[in-house]
């Protein structure tokens, strides 16, 4: 069958942020008035597990499970809160803010194959 995923790469477009690409997809489906649009959690899945699956790598990357490579980022959703100090526990709302209001400062740490990367000053 057809496998569809979402990723980020300079060869695939001008944005390196997968969140920016999720936002572009969400805005595009809105302008096309798609009858059953994808929600924020659908876009997150496209950018994680389905991206790995499209590459045939779903057995080693794309989800947080024992035995898989730990390629991940830690995000602080408070950075993209619409009103400072107002937070939410709803996963769909949090992911929606990460997609629509993404900002580089929301990334607090990154790991590739389980090794934490050193980041720019201020990256906690």
């Amino acid at each position: 069958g057809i496998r569809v995923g979402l990723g980020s790469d300079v060869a695939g477009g001008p944005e390196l942020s997968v969140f920016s690409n999720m936002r572009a997809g969400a805005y595009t489906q809105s302008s096309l008035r798609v009858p059953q649009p994808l929600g924020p959690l659908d876009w997150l899945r496209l950018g994680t597990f389905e991206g790995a699956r499209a590459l045939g790598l779903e057995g080693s990357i794309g989800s947080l499970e024992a035995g898989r490579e730990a390629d991940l980022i830690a995000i602080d959703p408070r950075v993209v809160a619409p009103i400072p100090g107002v937070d939410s526990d709803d996963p769909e709302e949090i992911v929606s803010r990460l997609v629509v209001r993404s900002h580089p400062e929301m990334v607090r740490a990154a790991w590739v194959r389980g090794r934490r990367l050193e980041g720019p000053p201020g990256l906690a």
Side-chain angles (χ1 to χ4, degrees), residues 5 11 21-22 56 59 75 78-79 84 93 95 98 104 106 110 116 123:
N21 291 320
M22 289 177 200
I75 299 287
R78 296 174 298 182
V79 172
E93 183 179 331
V95 173
L98 296 176
M106 69 186 193
R116 185 167 178 177
L123 192 64

Side-chain angles (χ1 to χ4, degrees), residues 5-22 46-48 51 55:
L6 182 67
S8 63
D9 188 341
V10 281
E15 294 289 339
L16 290 176
S17 168
V18 72
F19 292 103
S20 295
N21 291 320
M22 289 177 200
L46 278 172
T48 55
L55 296 172

